[in-house]
Amino acid sequence: MFQKKYYYWLFVLPSLLLISIIILIPFLIGIYYSFTNSNGITASWIGLKNYFLLFSDANFLQSCWLTFLFSLLSVAGINVIALSFALLVTRQDNRFTKFLRTIFFIPNLIGGILLGFIWQFIFIQVFGALGSQLHLSFFSGWLSTPESGLWGLVILFWWQMSGYIMLIYVAFLNAIPRSTIESAKLDGANEGQIFWWIKLPQLAPAFTISLFLTLANSFKLYEQNLALTNGGPYRSTEMIAMNIYNTAFVNYQQGYAQAAGILLFIFVALISFGQLYFSRKGEHQNES
Amino acid sequence: MNLKRMSLLLLTLFCVISIAVLEFANYGSTSNSHTIEFFNQKPEVTSGYQELARLYEKTHPNIKVKITTVGNGSGASALQAKFVSGDAPDIVMLGGLPEIDRYHNRLLNLDNLPIQKKIVPSLKSGGRIYGHSLGVAVDIEGYGWAYNKAVFKKAGIDAGRIKDYASFKAAVEKLNAQKKALGLSGVFGFNGADTSSITSFSAQFLSQSYHNNLTKAYRSQHLNWRYSKRMADYVDLVKRYNVKPILSVRYDASVQDLFFHGKVAMIPQGNWIIPTLDEAQKGFSAKNLGMLPYFVKGQGQIMTGSSWYLGITNEHPQREKDAKDFLQWLYNSPESEKVIVQQMRYVPPTINFDLNKLPDPLSKEIYRIGTGKHAQVPVHKQFPNGFNQEAIGPNMQRYFANKISWQQFVQRTESQYYQLRQIQGGK
């Protein structure tokens, strides 16, 4: 009995040590700094002042709202696109669908900064050229207005994440027993009915994973934001991560930025837990 | 499950790790040569500094020079990380007094450095704080309207005749009238997407009242908007005759595409665009690049200043002398001069430099003006941290997009400047 316990800790110790050093301790220090007026070099205790200031900081609130809007658009869009992709590539199993899988996944292999620059080129140069050739005002002036800046980010993120989420859906679609689909067919169900009543319920766990992944990722988005719009025009596309980074490393208001970071953490944690809780509940209901 | 074997395995692992750690700690201290670390915040000249390090190592066998480059906005955070972790570089490149002040406790007093006597006087205050010189100017940069000589010539405009705002405006209108024939997408290629260009542009109208005293500019609690009317004239001119939409124009595209290919006549940049242009086509800047001043009060003149200053940290007393020697060499030796002037295309910040050694006419002109009696240094590097990205940049963009009036622009920048100074200056 003693030995078993001993082994347990022996194996857990290295990762525990690393997690403490890299995540846990800095996190606790971070919480401490959120109660100071740290500028990165000196810091003194100011209590909850940072948190009070945050709730009246128009720029911060604007960033929160923007991030919320962005998350909503991207979570919905990515999951719809990814599921469609997944259905498309699992319809048949041949070279073409395999090729498609690769194509859809490739954007995910490109780093965020590069993606940002690629899409900046597309939105400004390519769209601009299209607009002037075809005389369509829709294509001109992308990224120069708050709306097109936000949509630019959303489209970029759809393009990047859909392939990845598709893989998750593909894995779950392939795990659906063929016999259920076949028996539904024998009973005279058409494609749509098979999708709604056979496939969709069995995809519930995939939804949980995908929603969680896209939501968490869209809240933490930074590089794409930096490379594509850098917050512009006039700070209208500055998402929350970028707002925090700029407060910390451009303005050097690091205690203040830390407080914003803690708020972001609480927010993301709440959403994630809430979502997990409800999704799990939904899954269990389906199973029973 | 064999406990003994397990422990033996773990013990070996620990041994390997500790040996590795000890080895690593010893690395560098066992040899008797010194390594000085140079922290560079200008990525575009990294190869130049590496070349300089190589040259210096050749003639100083005991010294190694390590160039660390972090730039494009993340330099400030990387530098802080280095200072806080106790791994401060020996020589640091710092941008303006806000950054120098931030690390002033960690920087050596450079008052008695011999090269100080050679530095152009108008550039000195940019490295001075608390009565001491903590930084040495890196180069002389010229700020004005970079114009494409070929485009001007084709349009029949003699840049030498542009002597005041009225004649500048007339030239712009003349260019615009021939837009089609000249193949222009706009007269100006103002990159409205970049807050940094907006900031250096604004310095043309905000610097006059400080009379080259950058320390005073850094201490000032208010923006001096005495010339806001003239700035509005220029901004409206840009707004009207720029490539549209102005907020989509970005720095790289404006220099490498619009300006280089003659699709615009002017961009609000300085001589830092020379290496990019000459890389695209050898000799482009000598043939095609000219610079026009802004006419703010009376006779206009290109502004000249240094965006970056070199400081020496006081964290490694054993290497202070090496760092000072390296700086001395950097500003004094014929070998370094060749790389700095011909490869990096800097205009040197030292007096009595032989003009003939500068490779193009614009560099010569900037040197002449920068070392002249009436040199005027821009103050934008002394603005509070974040003023550029959070206040003047976005508000100018709002004005470009017709979201606010000029009156609002002036009021907002003024009040945000004051606010940021209050937050950051509170010692």
Side-chain angles (χ1 to χ4, degrees):
Chain A
M1 190 64 204
F2 169 78
Q3 245 189 24
K4 211 172 171 187
K5 223 175 167 180
Y6 183 76
Y7 272 128
Y8 177 76
W9 285 107
L10 204 69
F11 281 108
V12 167
L13 193 70
S15 12
L16 201 65
L17 215 67
L18 283 177
I19 287 177
S20 320
I21 294 172
I22 295 168
I23 297 173
L24 221 57
I25 296 174
F27 184 67
L28 293 175
I29 296 175
I31 292 179
Y32 164 75
Y33 273 116
S34 73
F35 297 110
T36 68
N37 65 354
S38 165
N39 65 357
I41 305 222
T42 54
S44 51
W45 184 268
I46 55 166
L48 281 168
K49 199 175 160 202
N50 283 334
Y51 290 92
F52 287 128
L53 282 174
L54 271 176
F55 285 108
S56 56
D57 181 340
N59 280 321
F60 177 72
L61 296 176
Q62 142 85 10
S63 284
C64 288
W65 170 242
L66 180 81
T67 312
F68 175 73
L69 213 62
F70 171 82
S71 305
L72 210 69
L73 290 171
S74 46
V75 167
I78 287 169
N79 282 287
V80 170
I81 297 172
L83 186 59
S84 324
F85 279 175
L87 290 170
L88 188 73
V89 301
T90 49
R91 267 180 83 85
Q92 273 159 348
D93 190 23
N94 55 28
R95 284 217 177 142
F96 180 63
T97 55
K98 275 186 185 136
F99 175 67
L100 276 185
R101 269 183 219 202
T102 320
I103 294 278
F104 292 151
F105 187 69
I106 279 179
N108 203 261
L109 300 175
I110 308 173
I113 290 275
L114 264 181
L115 264 184
F117 285 128
I118 292 171
W119 277 93
Q120 194 185 83
F121 176 77
I122 295 175
F123 284 134
I124 295 177
Q125 251 87 326
V126 179
F127 273 34
L130 273 177
S132 61
Q133 290 298 317
L134 305 172
H135 303 288
L136 288 173
S137 60
F138 171 79
F139 285 114
S140 60
W142 271 74
L143 304 187
S144 71
T145 58
E147 298 76 34
S148 64
L150 173 64
W151 277 105
L153 278 169
V154 170
I155 291 169
L156 181 156
F157 201 52
W158 283 354
W159 193 70
Q160 182 185 19
M161 285 293 287
S162 295
Y164 183 67
I165 301 300
M166 170 196 77
L167 282 194
I168 295 171
Y169 284 123
V170 166
F172 277 87
L173 278 173
N174 283 339
I176 295 174
R178 292 223 157 269
S179 54
T180 53
I181 296 174
E182 270 163 25
S183 52
K185 265 187 195 156
L186 284 178
D187 287 342
N190 61 27
E191 286 273 336
Q193 283 168 324
I194 290 175
F195 173 71
W196 278 108
W197 302 109
I198 309 289
K199 287 182 177 169
L200 214 56
Q202 298 195 60
L203 280 176
F207 280 119
T208 313
I209 299 171
S210 307
L211 285 177
F212 173 70
L213 268 178
T214 38
L215 198 65
N217 275 327
S218 53
F219 265 95
K220 295 183 297 191
L221 189 87
Y222 178 73
E223 308 110 273
Q224 293 88 334
N225 195 185
L226 179 76
L228 190 71
T229 65
N230 197 7
Y234 40 91
R235 300 189 77 189
S236 61
T237 60
E238 190 179 86
M239 305 244 283
I240 197 161
M242 177 173 267
N243 182 291
I244 292 174
Y245 181 89
N246 288 348
T247 312
F249 292 108
V250 175
N251 286 13
Y252 293 120
Q253 290 163 270
Q254 300 193 341
Y256 189 61
Q258 191 64 54
I262 299 290
L263 278 188
L264 175 65
F265 166 77
I266 294 173
F267 199 52
V268 172
L270 275 181
I271 287 188
S272 306
F273 281 129
Q275 193 195 359
L276 268 182
Y277 173 77
F278 286 114
S279 306
R280 286 263 158 82
K281 218 168 133 185
E283 279 167 39
H284 287 310
Q285 273 170 0
N286 273 330
E287 275 162 25
S288 56
Chain B
M1 294 251 193
N2 187 333
L3 189 63
K4 220 174 175 181
R5 192 186 285 170
M6 201 61 218
S7 329
L8 208 69
L9 211 75
L10 244 118
L11 196 73
T12 334
L13 194 75
F14 270 117
C15 284
V16 170
I17 290 174
S18 38
I19 287 169
V21 168
L22 284 175
E23 260 318 291
F24 188 71
N26 271 338
Y27 181 78
S29 68
T30 45
S31 64
N32 54 10
S33 76
H34 282 176
T35 300
I36 46 179
E37 188 182 353
F38 183 105
F39 188 89
N40 168 31
Q41 296 206 48
K42 279 165 78 80
E44 67 277 14
V45 289
T46 309
S47 66
Y49 278 119
Q50 271 159 354
E51 174 72 16
L52 286 168
R54 206 179 54 78
L55 283 175
Y56 191 72
E57 283 168 4
K58 232 199 232 162
T59 46
H60 300 74
N62 286 332
I63 307 289
K64 288 240 167 301
V65 182
K66 185 179 148 205
I67 310 284
T68 306
T69 303
V70 188
N72 291 341
S74 44
S77 53
L79 188 61
Q80 181 188 334
K82 286 218 157 231
F83 270 110
V84 173
S85 68
D87 177 31
D90 299 285
I91 300 175
V92 283
M93 190 185 272
L94 299 162
L97 286 168
E99 205 169 21
I100 294 176
D101 189 13
R102 191 170 156 72
Y103 299 113
H104 75 273
N105 280 327
R106 313 273 186 106
L107 295 172
L108 277 188
N109 177 353
L110 300 179
D111 284 335
N112 298 322
L113 211 64
I115 47 170
Q116 288 284 11
K117 290 197 193 84
K118 285 183 68 186
I119 299 290
V120 175
S122 64
L123 302 178
K124 280 187 178 168
S125 68
R128 270 182 86 78
I129 197 155
Y130 304 115
H132 295 297
S133 181
L134 303 178
V136 185
V138 165
D139 62 345
I140 305 180
E141 286 172 340
Y143 296 81
W145 285 111
Y147 70 89
N148 190 320
K149 282 184 183 166
V151 173
F152 267 51
K153 204 175 158 198
K154 237 195 272 170
I157 294 169
D158 179 5
R161 290 225 170 141
I162 299 177
K163 293 280 182 212
D164 50 23
Y165 180 73
S167 51
F168 179 77
K169 195 177 168 199
V172 170
E173 277 159 0
K174 195 170 171 188
L175 282 162
N176 187 60
Q178 310 176 52
K179 212 169 135 183
K180 273 243 165 75
L182 296 168
L184 295 179
S185 317
V187 177
F188 298 105
F190 194 106
N191 46 325
D194 301 304
T195 55
S196 54
S197 289
I198 290 172
T199 313
S200 66
F201 167 80
S202 74
Q204 297 280 353
F205 310 92
L206 289 164
S207 305
Q208 286 79 0
S209 55
Y210 300 107
H211 304 289
N212 291 350
N213 186 342
L214 296 180
T215 320
K216 191 176 149 202
Y218 173 56
R219 294 276 175 236
S220 78
Q221 301 294 311
H222 296 277
L223 270 184
N224 190 321
W225 270 129
R226 216 175 121 192
Y227 299 106
S228 78
K229 175 94 190 35
R230 184 35 58 89
M231 181 164 169
D233 293 339
Y234 271 98
V235 172
D236 289 337
L237 207 59
V238 167
K239 207 165 142 182
R240 190 152 172 209
Y241 299 116
N242 202 71
V243 173
K244 300 211 166 59
I246 186 167
L247 297 186
S248 285
V249 184
R250 271 152 221 271
Y251 176 81
D252 285 335
S254 83
V255 177
Q256 293 167 15
D257 179 34
L258 296 176
F259 186 76
F260 179 74
H261 290 121
K263 292 182 195 165
V264 297
M266 286 180 263
I267 53 174
Q269 307 294 344
N271 55 325
W272 52 86
I273 62 175
I274 290 178
T276 312
L277 294 173
D278 280 1
E279 207 170 285
Q281 185 192 324
K282 220 176 159 207
F284 180 91
S285 58
K287 208 173 81 209
N288 269 337
L289 179 64
M291 196 171 275
L292 277 173
Y294 290 71
F295 302 96
V296 179
K297 53 170 190 178
Q299 191 80 337
Q301 186 184 251
I302 294 168
M303 284 202 173
T304 52
S306 180
S307 295
W308 300 96
Y309 284 76
L310 294 179
I312 299 179
T313 58
N314 58 15
E315 315 254 307
H316 315 286
Q318 74 278 17
R319 295 205 293 269
E320 273 171 18
K321 200 186 159 298
D322 298 324
K324 281 183 178 170
D325 288 346
F326 179 68
L327 273 196
Q328 189 68 23
W329 177 85
L330 206 59
Y331 286 81
N332 258 329
S333 77
E335 306 103 75
S336 69
E337 181 188 293
K338 214 174 151 198
V339 177
I340 289 174
V341 171
Q342 289 180 7
Q343 188 180 332
M344 295 157 84
R345 305 300 287 273
Y346 280 0
V347 176
T350 47
I351 51 172
N352 299 329
F353 189 83
D354 181 6
L355 265 186
N356 293 322
K357 289 183 188 164
L358 291 171
D360 58 281
L362 179 60
S363 298
K364 286 178 191 170
E365 190 184 349
I366 287 170
Y367 185 79
R368 226 177 294 134
I369 294 170
T371 52
K373 253 194 217 145
H374 304 291
Q376 171 72 59
V377 183
V379 297
H380 60 284
K381 280 283 184 173
Q382 324 310 331
F383 290 158
N385 295 316
F387 181 70
N388 162 357
Q389 294 91 331
E390 297 197 347
I392 198 160
N395 280 316
M396 180 64 89
Q397 290 173 333
R398 287 186 189 110
Y399 182 74
F400 279 143
N402 295 323
K403 300 274 180 203
I404 58 173
S405 69
W406 186 255
Q407 196 59 33
Q408 281 171 309
F409 168 78
V410 170
Q411 278 163 3
R412 287 186 185 192
T413 46
E414 161 63 32
S415 74
Q416 283 176 322
Y417 184 93
Y418 179 71
Q419 259 174 26
L420 285 170
R421 275 281 192 256
Q422 292 299 306
I423 296 172
Q424 291 166 14
K427 274 207 185 63

